[in-house]
Amino acid sequence: MELYQLRQFAAVAKYENMTRAAESLNVAQPAVSKTIRNLESELGAELFERTGKGLRRTEQGDILLRYARTILEAERDARGEIEESLHRTGGLCICALSCAERISEILAGFSTEYGNLDLRISSTPEGSDLLLDSAVSRDEVPAGAVLLYDEEMCVAVPEGHRYADRESVSLTELADDPFIALSNSQSFRQISEHIFRSAGMEMHAAIECDSAALQIRLLSCGMGVALVASGEWRQVCEDAGVRLLHIKDAQCRRYIYVQTLGRFRTQSIRAFTAYLERYFTQMA
């Protein structure tokens, strides 16, 4: 069993599709199919079963995936530690499931302070060095993660909204308003759903958009209301004709944290984590 086989197997397990897995690895699809067949032959077990929508892992596939992730993570850590021991500056891959609108500013500031570094942004934790994410409470922050910042979640309404002159509003008062939700952040959606549940409601998005910039434009045009993070939106709202209102009937904070995904914390990981702590301290 070779490392490249485990990488290809992990990609197929992630995408549940041979073609998409091959594209993500920049290899030919027949090569990936052959790798899976060879692994199944070597192990004497089927790793995937075909469904109408693609592939689904078997029980044996789940077992191999658990070990494959551990092995691939160990290999990545070994490379990082060796680079560190040779005094070479390694790259840094960051998965930003939260703070997507801030990440460009964060990276620019870090690069200015730390110097030239190979920085990459990933949409998934797999293969990343650091995870920048948020939780609905302090208790939900993973063990070992660094809590960076907590901020209030508010409702954003256009200036012409019937409640725009108020300081606060309850979600139940907005039950008939169309909600504009972000579709590109599973983390933000989970927090939004938690806030609605704490108010005794279910979240139903009337409009979904894939960027905060589009969400702001839709709000400015009076297309609906939205749940937003106050720290990110204060300045934006002043410029876009949007008001932020406190929420009266729900638990409305999110807790931003950074988590090292491997076991070995390289110099780059330590430096970036320290920079994040300073960045969010200045926001407080």
Side-chain angles (χ1 to χ4, degrees), residues 17-51:
N17 181 283
M18 292 284 187
T19 301
R20 290 178 62 196
E23 290 173 351
S24 73
L25 297 168
N26 198 27
V27 298
Q29 186 270 332
V32 175
S33 298
K34 182 179 179 181
T35 292
I36 299 303
R37 288 198 302 271
N38 289 343
L39 279 174
E40 290 178 327
S41 176
E42 179 179 347
L43 295 170
E46 289 190 358
L47 301 174
F48 298 96
E49 57 185 12
R50 294 193 175 276
T51 68

Side-chain angles (χ1 to χ4, degrees), residues 149-284:
Y149 187 65
D150 69 277
E151 62 186 337
E152 182 184 9
M153 298 292 293
C154 296
V155 171
V157 302
E159 285 186 341
H161 192 272
R162 65 189 183 281
Y163 296 139
D165 293 332
R166 291 169 51 171
E167 293 295 322
S168 61
V169 68
S170 65
L171 288 179
T172 52
E173 290 177 295
L174 299 170
D176 295 329
D177 286 73
F179 267 80
I180 305 170
L182 285 174
S183 60
N184 65 342
S185 174
Q186 182 64 28
S187 174
F188 196 88
R189 186 176 188 89
Q190 289 172 352
I191 289 173
S192 300
E193 290 174 347
H194 170 81
I195 291 172
F196 272 86
R197 284 196 301 270
S198 69
M201 301 171 61
E202 291 293 325
M203 188 183 84
H204 299 290
I207 304 173
E208 294 195 1
C209 52
D210 60 4
S211 73
L214 177 56
Q215 191 180 38
I216 292 166
R217 289 198 295 273
L218 292 172
L219 282 163
S220 299
C221 293
M223 297 295 294
V225 300
L227 283 177
V228 301
S230 59
E232 290 184 347
W233 277 68
R234 290 293 182 196
Q235 185 60 46
V236 169
C237 287
E238 293 176 7
D239 299 335
V242 176
R243 290 287 312 281
L244 288 189
L245 308 181
H246 302 292
I247 301 173
K248 296 189 293 186
D249 59 344
Q251 302 171 26
C252 299
R253 299 197 77 80
R254 73 167 179 172
Y255 296 80
I256 300 169
Y257 65 86
V258 62
Q259 180 182 15
T260 302
L261 297 178
R263 288 183 293 272
F264 176 67
R265 298 181 77 244
T266 65
Q267 179 181 351
S268 300
I269 289 174
R270 295 194 299 272
F272 191 78
T273 300
Y275 178 81
L276 284 175
E277 291 183 273
R278 293 195 301 274
Y279 176 89
F280 282 99
T281 296
Q282 292 170 1
M283 288 185 56

